[in-house]
Amino acid sequence: SRALELAEHTHDLRPLAQVRNILGILARSRGDLAQARYQLEHACALAENLNDPSVRIAALNNLALVCHANGEIDRAIQLLELAMTLCASMGDRHHQAALHNNLADLFHAIGKGDEAMAHLKQAVAIFADIGADGETIQPEIWKLVEW
């Protein structure tokens, strides 16, 4: 709450969007999906006006997780697809692979095994293309849950 107060006083969209993203993550983790949605929708709206889409990608991913928890699979898929488009435009292959992985989870949850497998294969292919050794692998990016 204090971070939000400070961010609001700066009138800088980036920290404000980041704080709302974090507040959304925290609300989701304690099961307050309504508050999580509120914070993450605000984070998405604020981040849309930034030149750096990375904050928006994170907020979209986290909002998709909230939608999934609420049973709004179609909206969650739309949010992740938008985030993936933004990742591709930035060339952010690590997050793109993680988003494919999250999409695979969504399709699996609704019984669309072929779509789930296609996204899982894309995630693995991107990760293999990037390459990683034991010292550079970042599982927090590869199997991303919250950003």
Side-chain angles (χ1 to χ4, degrees):
S1 296
R2 178 76 174 129
L4 179 60
E5 182 182 310
L6 292 170
E8 286 174 338
H9 287 293
T10 68
H11 303 290
D12 187 346
L13 296 181
R14 185 178 180 80
L16 187 55
Q18 288 175 319
V19 168
R20 289 207 178 264
N21 184 47
I22 292 167
L23 287 171
I25 290 170
L26 293 172
R28 180 177 170 268
S29 73
R30 68 176 183 269
D32 188 348
L33 298 179
Q35 180 65 18
R37 176 187 300 277
Y38 173 81
Q39 295 296 345
L40 292 166
E41 285 179 348
H42 275 38
C44 286
L46 291 164
E48 192 170 357
N49 296 312
L50 297 172
N51 281 339
D52 178 3
S54 62
V55 177
R56 186 173 180 209
I57 292 165
L60 288 166
N61 177 67
N62 292 323
L63 182 56
L65 295 173
V66 170
C67 289
H68 182 201
N70 276 328
E72 301 170 65
I73 303 299
D74 290 339
R75 180 152 188 243
I77 290 169
Q78 291 171 348
L79 293 166
L80 289 176
E81 287 174 342
L82 175 56
M84 198 161 14
T85 299
L86 293 169
C87 272
S89 73
M90 290 177 54
D92 185 345
R93 307 274 287 152
H94 276 109
H95 284 123
Q96 192 175 13
L99 291 167
H100 273 296
N101 210 26
N102 286 350
L103 276 166
D105 290 346
L106 286 172
F107 283 117
H108 178 74
I110 59 173
K112 293 188 175 184
D114 291 341
E115 290 92 337
M117 187 56 68
H119 282 286
L120 186 58
K121 286 178 181 179
Q122 286 179 297
V124 171
I126 290 169
F127 192 66
D129 185 49
I130 293 167
D133 60 35
E135 293 181 23
T136 61
I137 194 166
Q138 296 177 313
E140 69 277 10
I141 293 177
W142 168 237
K143 179 57 178 149
L144 204 52
V145 176
E146 298 168 327
W147 308 2

